[in-house]
Amino acid sequence: IAGMSSSFAGNKKLMTVNAAKVIAERAVVESVIGLKVRSSETVEDMIAKEVTVDAKTAARIKGIEYTDIVYDPSKDIAQVEASIKLGKVNNIVGKNIDFGGRTISRYGFATSTPAMAGPLQALRAAELDAYKQLAKTIVGFEIDSETSVKDYLLESDEVRAKMMAAIYGADLVDYRWDEQGDAYVKMRLRFGEVEDILNQKINYEDEVIEVEGV
């Protein structure tokens, strides 16, 4: 029985980690190409089942690596970071965008325990809130002291795609839940990388910005 219990625990961990890998990979594909791999996201997406990435979609991006895998056996939650170094990518609007060797990362969280689906949904919402705050921060700056990033985003699919790649390159510093079950995700973004990817000068005094999504 002890052996069976150990085997079950090992299989649960494997299922959870593999699901988190696929979710992270799917997020990278969406971020880089702009494809809508899923039309909606539900709690079920975060529970280890038949989670897959369409073969044709996955084939469009090669070289995705899983750079960080963390598993919490007490909660049965896996966190996986998927990264890719980008050269030239043909995005969804048909433009061949040169990301100049930029490495972007996305995170996937998953569980094999249905009871943990709620906390993961809250965590995902907090992550999206953090990305939204980063985007608003970048859009609020001026480029070349005259033209705002917002103007560029409205006019240029290329700049929009590059800015999103910059945001998705932000580091996930920490995540937690409070006693009420609310989730918090802390993200950190280097503005030097934003300058590089946009090939423009962003006037910002601090080298790093940190936000916490809720």
Side-chain angles (χ1 to χ4, degrees):
I1 294 177
M4 290 178 62
S5 176
S6 176
S7 176
F8 177 76
N11 289 336
K12 180 182 283 286
K13 176 181 178 180
L14 184 62
M15 285 177 60
T16 300
V17 169
N18 283 343
K21 281 184 176 181
V22 174
I23 291 170
E25 177 186 356
R26 196 165 56 178
V28 167
V29 171
E30 286 185 350
S31 304
V32 177
I33 298 181
L35 289 176
K36 196 63 180 174
V37 179
R38 56 191 183 280
S39 58
S40 64
E41 188 170 63
T42 64
V43 179
E44 286 74 22
D45 287 330
M46 300 174 190
I47 303 177
K49 293 188 296 184
E50 293 298 320
V51 186
T52 60
V53 172
D54 177 76
K56 289 184 178 180
T57 301
R60 295 188 63 181
I61 291 186
K62 296 180 180 179
I64 293 177
E65 297 181 352
Y66 303 111
T67 46
D68 190 27
I69 299 174
V70 178
Y71 179 70
D72 183 346
S74 64
K75 294 185 176 69
D76 183 37
I77 290 178
Q79 170 198 326
V80 172
E81 178 187 26
S83 300
I84 186 169
K85 187 173 183 178
L86 295 173
K88 293 183 178 180
V89 177
N90 192 14
N91 77 344
I92 195 170
V93 295
K95 289 191 175 182
N96 195 7
I97 298 176
D98 188 354
F99 287 91
R102 170 89 167 111
T103 297
I104 72 163
S105 303
R106 292 299 307 274
Y107 296 87
F109 294 89
T111 183
S112 299
T113 306
M116 291 306 301
L120 280 188
Q121 186 183 39
L123 191 68
R124 173 61 173 159
E127 180 189 16
L128 293 175
D129 182 50
Y131 281 131
K132 186 185 300 182
Q133 289 185 50
L134 290 173
K136 285 182 178 180
T137 303
I138 295 177
V139 169
F141 293 127
E142 293 187 345
I143 296 180
D144 290 340
S145 73
E146 293 181 1
T147 308
S148 70
V149 183
K150 185 175 181 181
D151 292 334
Y152 269 82
L153 294 180
L154 292 174
E155 297 172 2
S156 171
D157 288 319
E158 180 176 352
V159 173
R160 185 188 299 112
K162 285 187 175 184
M163 190 197 79
M164 292 312 296
I167 292 174
Y168 290 135
D171 294 322
L172 187 148
V173 180
D174 188 33
Y175 65 91
R176 62 184 175 87
W177 293 269
D178 63 16
E179 294 179 356
Q180 286 71 43
D182 293 326
Y184 298 81
V185 171
K186 189 175 292 185
M187 306 289 292
R188 184 180 295 154
L189 179 64
R190 291 176 55 87
F191 267 82
E193 294 179 349
V194 178
E195 283 186 24
D196 293 341
I197 202 165
L198 292 179
N199 297 320
Q200 297 284 350
K201 177 66 176 177
I202 294 180
N203 298 318
Y204 192 69
E205 294 179 0
D206 298 326
E207 186 178 353
V208 174
I209 186 170
E210 197 169 273
V211 300
E212 185 170 63
V214 183

